[in-house]
Amino acid sequence: MAKFLAELLGCTLPLPDKGAPPLSECRSQPHLGLRPASKQRDNMPQTPPLTGQLGTGGYNKNLYQTKDEGYAGLYYHDNNLVSGSLEALIHHLVPNMDYYPDRTYIFTFLLSSRLFIRPYELMSKVCHLCMEQQRLGDPQADKMRIRKIAPKILQLLTEWTETFPYDFRDERMMRSLKELTHRLASGDEVYRKAVGQMSQGLIRRLTVLSQYEEALVKINATAAERLTALKAKPQASIQRDMLSICNDPFTVAQQLTHIELERLSYIGPEEFVQAFVQKDPLDNDKSCFSDHKKASNLEAYVEWFNRLSYLVATEICMPVKKKHRARVIEFFIDVARECFNIGNFNSLMAIISGMNMSPVSRLKKTWGKVKTAKFDILEHQMDPSSNFYNYRTALRGATQRSITANSSREKIVIPFFSLLIKDIYFLNEGCVNRLQNGHVNFEKFWELAKQVSEFMTWKKVECPFEKDRKILQYLLTAPVFTEDALYLASYESEGPENNMEKDRWKSLRSTLLSRV
């Protein structure tokens, strides 16, 4: 499974040992740790808090049907919503004169509903229900009635546009949004202003995303151009190495953290669900939507991990002298240690992965000159055995530090991202989306939302370190060797040790050097 996930996401994922216990069973946890609503929202009616944890035994048939809502089809256990028909869950999302859905429910349903219904179809249904139930489409509708319901509907739309803005890259979404907000704003200047503010905020978020995507394209193009130049004139354009740019491990770790936090900040929560949409046909239900994806920030982040791993390996294999290679290894060990201290586990793991690549690990003479005690400690922290127990313990410590932080630096938590994806993947694979009676297994989606909402907290942290443009440019655009080029450089530095390596070396020299 882990290998399949790595192939799916295009990343190298260390495999846990064979004796590692499985991931924890699917549990529901309604308390998602979302930020409290602003003062403007505190006055909004809320559903009763969902207290207590659900049992771990999966779907409990000893349930009672809710009597609080006017729409049948929702089932609870110990005051926790555990299942319901899709229609009932949609009705539960829509506010009325006396009811507004709990924020945890809004986040969980908007996150998971895309497994069953396209966002624009959900928006259309919400728009229809608001118009129909509250008679918003009736020109003769009571203005007092509209004034009572309008703040609630606007609040729901605001939550949607703020948390899942990428949904609105679809013209069909925007059409329904404009239709509903036009009716809400038509009768009162206060609501017109509120609708304008919401719309401006949405446009701003989508504009920033577009600018970020354009910047990534430029960065990738620059990296490709530099690699092409290096291939064309390998002797004349010997590239500068990391140590010539900056020889301070702490500063490099800080710049890596800048890149990590920026790229994390653009990942939408729905991207975690969309990564696995096509993997779960929902019993022939229409879930495999080709038009689902509105952003690819998750993939771009995984590509960054791979780039950093290959950059580290390239920096180590490039130097001709053994002494220089050993110095580079020790430098990146120190960078990885600083990343660990900062709470940047993703860069830490990328660096370790780079140093564990075969072209690097086979350089025995080079490693013989390296003081490896610090590296051994770091490898122990990221040891994949027992389902990454040591790393998970360190992550919990960093999370607790973030919660009680007195400074912005202490708030930084950057998880080993491929493992986070793997956890969500196994949660998705290990629990059904629908129960035998056709109801949505909402117990599963509480747990999914819990995991994603924790990530949402981490990605909102602003990097407290000063940017160094020169270092950032190098980390993002310096040419990196392919795996074949790494092997060739490795064999050139320390000759082949057996016939298999000799044959590969000859083959690589023949294919790679003939292109120059």
Side-chain angles (χ1 to χ4, degrees):
M1 280 297 183
K3 182 180 179 181
F4 169 77
L5 180 68
E7 292 172 353
L8 176 71
L9 295 176
C11 63
T12 303
L13 190 62
L15 296 173
D17 64 44
K18 295 181 180 179
L23 292 173
S24 58
E25 296 179 0
C26 174
R27 302 186 181 187
S28 294
Q29 172 54 276
H31 299 290
L32 304 180
L34 297 175
R35 290 189 305 171
S38 64
K39 292 183 178 179
Q40 287 180 322
R41 300 176 189 175
D42 287 341
N43 296 325
M44 296 302 303
Q46 295 287 303
T47 52
L50 300 171
T51 57
Q53 290 190 0
L54 295 171
T56 60
Y59 178 63
N60 190 322
K61 295 182 180 179
N62 185 23
L63 306 173
Y64 61 86
Q65 191 168 356
T66 176
K67 298 178 182 178
D68 298 329
E69 318 301 341
Y71 195 85
L74 298 179
Y75 290 83
Y76 292 79
H77 181 238
D78 291 340
N79 203 30
N80 295 317
L81 175 62
V82 293
S83 72
S85 67
L86 182 60
E87 286 300 316
L89 293 168
I90 293 173
H91 275 73
H92 195 55
L93 177 70
V94 179
N96 58 39
M97 297 289 287
D98 306 309
Y99 161 79
Y100 186 81
D102 187 87
R103 293 191 75 219
T104 57
Y105 176 78
I106 294 173
F107 177 77
T108 303
F109 184 69
L110 291 180
L111 176 70
S112 59
S113 62
R114 60 201 70 236
L115 287 168
F116 309 96
I117 183 172
R118 295 174 176 88
Y120 80 87
E121 292 176 327
L122 176 61
M123 173 59 80
S124 179
K125 283 182 176 288
V126 168
C127 184
H128 174 73
L129 286 172
C130 289
M131 291 287 197
E132 184 182 67
Q133 291 180 356
Q134 309 305 326
R135 302 199 306 275
L136 295 181
D138 182 1
Q140 305 301 321
D142 184 357
K143 286 190 176 182
M144 287 299 295
R145 181 183 183 84
I146 293 179
R147 286 174 182 169
K148 285 185 178 180
I149 191 62
K152 298 177 183 179
I153 297 175
L154 279 173
Q155 173 60 23
L156 175 64
L157 296 177
T158 300
E159 300 243 13
W160 198 335
T161 57
E162 286 182 352
T163 311
F164 300 91
Y166 303 161
D167 285 349
F168 294 86
R169 290 185 122 180
D170 190 319
E171 290 182 3
R172 295 164 293 189
M173 284 287 290
M174 293 300 290
R175 200 179 307 127
S176 293
L177 179 65
K178 288 177 181 177
E179 179 185 352
L180 185 52
T181 53
H182 175 73
R183 179 58 190 140
L184 294 174
S186 60
D188 196 304
E189 178 62 30
V190 174
Y191 302 137
R192 258 197 300 274
K193 185 177 180 180
V195 167
Q197 290 175 339
M198 180 189 70
S199 301
Q200 289 171 10
L202 175 60
I203 292 171
R204 185 171 59 251
R205 292 182 195 94
L206 295 180
T207 301
V208 169
L209 172 63
S210 295
Q211 292 171 343
Y212 168 71
E213 290 173 336
E214 291 171 4
L216 281 186
V217 171
K218 291 179 181 178
I219 288 171
N220 293 336
T222 302
E225 288 171 4
R226 293 188 176 183
L227 182 59
T228 301
L230 184 66
K231 289 179 178 178
K233 296 182 179 180
Q235 300 303 322
S237 60
I238 297 298
Q239 71 178 96
R240 302 180 69 183
D241 60 16
M242 185 74 250
L243 285 172
S244 69
I245 302 295
C246 177
N247 60 6
D248 178 21
F250 184 51
T251 301
V252 173
Q254 289 179 333
Q255 301 313 302
L256 288 171
T257 303
H258 263 295
I259 297 171
E260 299 279 356
L261 286 175
E262 180 187 46
R263 299 207 171 192
L264 274 184
S265 69
Y266 286 99
I267 298 175
E270 71 280 2
E271 293 189 60
F272 290 97
V273 175
Q274 290 166 352
F276 308 119
V277 162
Q278 295 183 349
K279 287 298 169 190
D280 188 356
L282 286 175
D283 299 312
N284 298 321
D285 201 356
K286 54 172 187 176
S287 66
C288 301
F289 305 139
S290 60
D291 62 346
H292 236 347
K293 213 162 178 55
K294 303 302 176 187
S296 301
N297 303 305
L298 187 148
E299 289 86 347
Y301 190 51
V302 172
E303 288 171 6
W304 155 247
F305 178 95
N306 292 335
R307 173 183 168 74
L308 179 55
S309 294
Y310 274 85
L311 177 62
V312 169
T314 299
E315 292 283 325
I316 295 171
C317 290
M318 249 196 332
V320 175
K321 294 183 178 180
K322 179 171 52 180
K323 182 178 180 181
H324 191 184
R325 291 194 300 273
R327 185 184 169 205
V328 173
I329 290 175
E330 290 183 340
F331 173 76
F332 276 109
I333 290 173
D334 288 337
V335 172
R337 184 179 62 173
E338 295 297 345
C339 286
F340 179 83
N341 293 335
I342 289 172
N344 181 356
F345 298 105
N346 200 56
S347 289
L348 163 64
M349 193 64 195
I351 293 171
I352 291 176
S353 297
M355 287 193 280
N356 280 330
M357 285 184 180
S358 295
V360 177
S361 61
R362 68 168 296 279
L363 298 172
K364 295 177 182 177
K365 294 177 182 177
T366 302
W367 281 97
K369 289 189 169 293
V370 175
K371 298 176 183 177
T372 59
K374 289 183 286 187
F375 184 63
D376 294 339
I377 293 173
L378 292 175
E379 278 204 308
H380 176 72
Q381 288 293 340
M382 304 305 287
D383 183 1
S385 63
S386 300
N387 195 19
F388 287 88
Y389 176 81
N390 294 338
Y391 158 71
R392 293 183 191 278
T393 301
L395 180 65
R396 282 195 297 272
T399 302
Q400 188 58 40
R401 179 186 68 182
S402 177
I403 293 171
T404 60
N406 295 317
S407 67
S408 54
R409 178 180 168 178
E410 293 175 332
K411 291 181 181 179
I412 297 173
V413 181
I414 302 173
F416 172 29
F417 196 69
S418 295
L419 186 60
L420 174 62
I421 296 291
K422 174 178 162 240
D423 287 348
I424 294 174
Y425 172 80
F426 278 114
L427 171 62
N428 183 63
E429 289 291 304
C431 304
V432 295
N433 289 337
R434 290 185 187 271
L435 304 176
Q436 289 184 348
N437 63 0
H439 278 193
V440 173
N441 180 13
F442 216 73
E443 186 176 3
K444 166 183 175 176
F445 296 122
W446 283 129
E447 179 63 23
L448 174 65
K450 177 188 174 185
Q451 291 193 22
V452 175
S453 66
E454 188 170 41
F455 166 81
M456 294 288 285
T457 301
W458 295 335
K459 79 166 196 165
K460 290 173 182 174
V461 175
E462 292 187 12
C463 190
F465 307 123
E466 185 177 348
K467 281 188 177 182
D468 188 309
R469 300 289 178 184
K470 191 176 182 181
I471 300 174
L472 289 172
Q473 184 75 358
Y474 185 84
L475 291 170
L476 291 168
T477 64
V480 295
F481 289 175
T482 62
E483 186 174 7
D484 283 346
L486 286 172
Y487 268 110
L488 180 58
S490 179
Y491 292 141
E492 295 289 338
S493 297
E494 295 187 20
E497 295 183 345
N498 52 54
N499 290 332
M500 187 176 70
E501 286 192 345
K502 287 179 182 178
D503 291 342
R504 184 167 191 182
W505 181 35
K506 291 177 182 177
S507 175
L508 290 173
R509 285 182 64 88
S510 172
T511 55
L512 294 181
L513 297 183
S514 64
R515 298 174 190 170
V516 177

